[in-house]
């Protein structure tokens, strides 16, 4: 069989497999570029079942670029809370403003205009333009990389050099220009559901007959494992500042959560210092008065990229002047905070309700 006929047959098999049993998702079937863009941004690094309620809520609260642009960044981030990777929420908001300003509120159609929106890369451009407008642009995400590396037995780091170039070449050759959106969704679904990182289900795969990895009998040998950055364990302290029944939020620690307000964080890396000492220094460093320490919650864990954090939450009563750059949320609404801070507020609740200790870390130096 000639190469082009093989490609054609791959796309046919993928499309027929996808169209038999497409996984239901609320944005599937839509050709509204705004709705598709929203889903694609939310789906980055996030599971489908987590995204669905957020997507539904955003489509009700912000049904088009204009309504998203009209909201404040705080409102958008508050609705985003819990989805993680907050830069996505900020970029979404900035992109909506750009759409209103430069495209009269209409989601742009040209791939180069879509690619120019904040937070939009090659992948999102291809996904939105193929699904909404039928542009024959192949998507390449981690799932697609895995499928192609296995099918063509491509070695090397799939994100670099020649391997990366070859993956893109194959992805583009496979695509059916008449059904680009469905084709892209089919390859991604195949990678997610069948050609999984571990134990790929080759017997259920529509493209197994010409898959070189399947033929080898060891499909998991591809893609070549990437060198991982070593994880680093770090200890931090979090100061939850109580003001009345609210939590006072101050500009965040840029090392962990850039451009975000929350409890005050400080690295706790010296054995001979108590968490209260560490936070006292942090308040002084920021030119803030040291508030009255009340107690602590249990240490909690949180992972951010290569960091495994153990965080000691301490509770303070804030009775000083309220800093001009602060915000506040009710203590009863920790869900409005990113997970790192939400966990701190939840961890401190037993102390507040009087069911926990609060003395051994309260000493000050
Ligand atoms: S045959 Fe197996 S390894 Fe090859 S693409 Fe299908 S699921 Fe992946």
């Amino acid at each position: 069989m000639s190469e082009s006929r093989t490609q054609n047959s791959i796309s046919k098999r993928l499309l027929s497999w996808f169209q038999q049993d497409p996984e239901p998702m609320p944005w599937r079937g839509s050709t509204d570029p705004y709705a598709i863009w929203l889903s694609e941004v939310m789906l980055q690094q996030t599971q489908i079942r987590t995204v669905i309620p957020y997507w539904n809520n955003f489509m009700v609260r912000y049904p088009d670029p204009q309504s998203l642009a009209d909201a404040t960044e705080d409102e958008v981030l508050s609705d985003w809370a819990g989805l993680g990777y907050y830069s996505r929420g900020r970029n979404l908001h900035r992109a909506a403003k750009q759409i209103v300003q430069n495209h009269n509120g209409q989601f742009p159609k040209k791939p180069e205009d879509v690619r120019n929106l904040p937070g939009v890369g090659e992948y999102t451009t291809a996904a939105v333009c193929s699904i909404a407008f039928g542009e024959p642009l192949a998507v390449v995400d981690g799932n697609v990389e895995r499928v192609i590396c296995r099918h063509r037995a491509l070695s090397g780091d799939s994100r670099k050099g020649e391997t990366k170039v070859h993956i893109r070449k194959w992805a583009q050759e496979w695509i059916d220009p008449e059904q680009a959106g469905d084709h892209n969704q089919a390859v991604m679904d195949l990678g997610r559901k069948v050609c999984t990182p571990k134990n790929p289900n080759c017997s259920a795969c529509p493209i197994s007959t010409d898959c070189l990895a399947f033929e080898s009998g060891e499909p998991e040998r591809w893609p070549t494992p990437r060198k991982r950055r070593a994880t680093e364990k770090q200890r931090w302290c979090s100061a939850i500042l109580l003001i009345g029944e609210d939590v006072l939020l101050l500009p965040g620690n840029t090392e962990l959560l850039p451009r975000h307000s929350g409890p005050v964080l400080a690295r706790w890396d010296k054995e001979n210092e108590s968490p209260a000492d560490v936070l006292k220094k942090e308040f002084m460093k920021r030119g803030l008065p040291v508030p009255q320490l009340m107690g602590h919650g249990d240490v909690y864990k949180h992972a951010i990229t290569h960091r495994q954090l153990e965080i000691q939450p301490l509770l303070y009563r804030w009775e000083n002047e309220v800093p001009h750059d602060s915000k506040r949320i009710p203590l009863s609404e920790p869900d409005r905070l990113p997970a790192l801070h939400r966990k701190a507020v939840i961890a401190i609740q037993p102390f507040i309700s009087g069911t926990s200790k609060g003395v051994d870390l309260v000493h000050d130096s």
Side-chain angles (χ1 to χ4, degrees), residues 299-312:
V299 170
Y300 65 92
K301 295 187 177 179
H302 188 76
I304 293 186
T305 58
H306 67 286
R307 294 187 183 93
Q308 298 275 6
L309 311 177
E310 284 194 354
I311 304 174
Q312 171 66 63

Side-chain angles (χ1 to χ4, degrees), residues 81-95:
L83 258 187
Y85 300 97
Y86 285 77
S87 56
R88 292 182 300 168
R90 278 189 208 98
N91 280 331
L92 204 68
H93 187 231
R94 285 172 54 216

Side-chain angles (χ1 to χ4, degrees), residues 345-358:
V345 174
I346 291 170
I348 208 75
Q349 300 285 354
F351 172 76
I352 293 174
S353 55
T355 58
S356 182
K357 62 271 180 186

